[in-house]
Amino acid sequence: MKAPRVVSLAPSATATVTALGAAETLVGVTHHCDPPEEAGTEHGADAPAPVGGWLNPDLDRVAGLAPDVVLTSDGLQSDLADDCRERGFDVRHREPATLDEAVATFAARGADVGRPEAGERLATEARARLDRIADAVAGRPRPTVYCEEWSDPPMAAGNWVPDAVRAAGGRYPFADAGERSREVDLASVEQADPDHVVVHVCGHGDRIDPATVEGRDWAVDAPVHVIDDSLLNQPSPALIDGVERLTGLLHPGIETYS
């Protein structure tokens, strides 16, 4: 069967398609995506082609790629998904807001690109990893964790991050699962008295100096951990890696997760 021509307009979709073993189907990606070397090989040496930014892709260029399916993700791309539909593209828009929904999206993405069995397998493996973590942290004390998705102004991470912290054996009093990330008053962080501060600023990878957070004028006495933003900010399989990384930070005696 001929491989579909897939345009991914979201880094999380590109990462998930890659984890499915379907990167060779990609004919277009955004500048924010990180496709592997084998991406697009089913459709020529010039694939995948860059089509612009995550929120402002060039839809004329997308049309020129003759996609069989266009992948979008997150509420911030809902209007973009509508614009793509108006142009006649077959759009598969996924908008997970919790950890469970993110894992379910792995299976959905498999169906989106003609790899349903791979999608189901990826979701099953993710749930098994989460189950192993749950067993490992059961009965352990749960430290309080503050996760910062943006630093100017400081924003407490929402969406699936509260679930990720709890899955890793921590407490997260700054947002409920499924809520959007929101600006946070530093006094409220002080009041929560976190045991750990995790910084994962969108678009910065792990290129944040922890001293910029440690040196704030606030009464927070907790270690600051800078981790790659892709581990917590994308609803892709990297999120499961992120839960394992958090587990290693919160419970360093669990050597499996570090």
Side-chain angles (χ1 to χ4, degrees):
M1 188 173 81
K2 183 179 178 181
R5 298 176 61 84
V6 179
V7 171
S8 172
L9 299 182
S12 62
T14 300
T16 303
V17 169
T18 298
L20 290 166
E24 69 273 11
T25 67
L26 293 166
V27 295
V29 295
T30 75
H31 295 312
H32 301 97
C33 296
D34 186 23
E37 289 185 3
E38 68 270 20
T41 51
E42 284 283 341
H43 303 294
D46 295 332
V51 297
W54 178 57
L55 294 178
N56 57 347
D58 185 337
L59 297 187
D60 288 336
R61 184 152 200 188
V62 173
L65 297 173
D68 296 308
V69 62
V70 174
L71 309 180
T72 57
S73 183
D74 194 273
L76 294 176
Q77 285 196 316
S78 58
D79 289 343
L80 174 61
D82 289 340
D83 291 343
C84 288
R85 292 187 187 99
E86 289 179 4
R87 284 176 171 255
F89 302 145
D90 181 359
V91 179
R92 308 298 171 89
H93 180 71
R94 307 296 174 186
E95 201 170 314
T98 65
L99 180 58
D100 282 346
E101 290 173 1
V103 172
T105 297
F106 304 164
R109 286 299 185 207
D112 292 343
V113 299
R115 305 285 178 88
E117 292 181 358
E120 292 293 345
R121 184 165 56 250
L122 188 61
T124 297
E125 291 171 353
R127 293 187 181 102
R129 291 167 68 186
L130 292 171
D131 286 344
R132 288 195 294 271
I133 296 170
D135 290 342
V137 302
R140 289 175 174 258
R142 288 185 166 263
T144 299
V145 184
Y146 167 59
C147 290
E148 187 166 288
E149 183 181 294
W150 193 252
S151 295
D152 187 19
M155 294 186 68
N159 300 309
W160 42 80
V161 171
D163 283 335
V165 172
R166 291 167 191 139
R171 293 181 59 254
Y172 193 77
F174 302 99
D176 291 329
E179 292 182 348
R180 300 294 295 188
S181 301
R182 59 182 179 83
E183 186 173 348
V184 65
D185 184 275
L186 294 183
S188 66
V189 180
E190 293 174 339
Q191 186 175 9
D193 191 22
D195 300 292
H196 296 269
V197 174
V198 177
V199 180
H200 49 104
V201 177
C202 281
H204 286 69
D206 58 1
R207 301 179 302 277
I208 297 292
D209 185 350
T212 62
V213 176
E214 293 166 343
R216 282 178 181 160
D217 184 17
W218 64 352
V220 171
D221 183 18
V224 175
H225 313 281
V226 176
I227 68 174
D228 194 301
D229 71 289
S230 67
L231 296 178
L232 289 180
N233 295 349
Q234 287 185 14
S236 76
L239 180 57
I240 311 304
D241 298 335
V243 175
E244 293 179 345
R245 177 71 181 276
L246 285 176
T247 306
L249 294 175
L250 307 187
H251 303 284
I254 302 177
E255 296 182 0
T256 305
Y257 310 106
S258 60

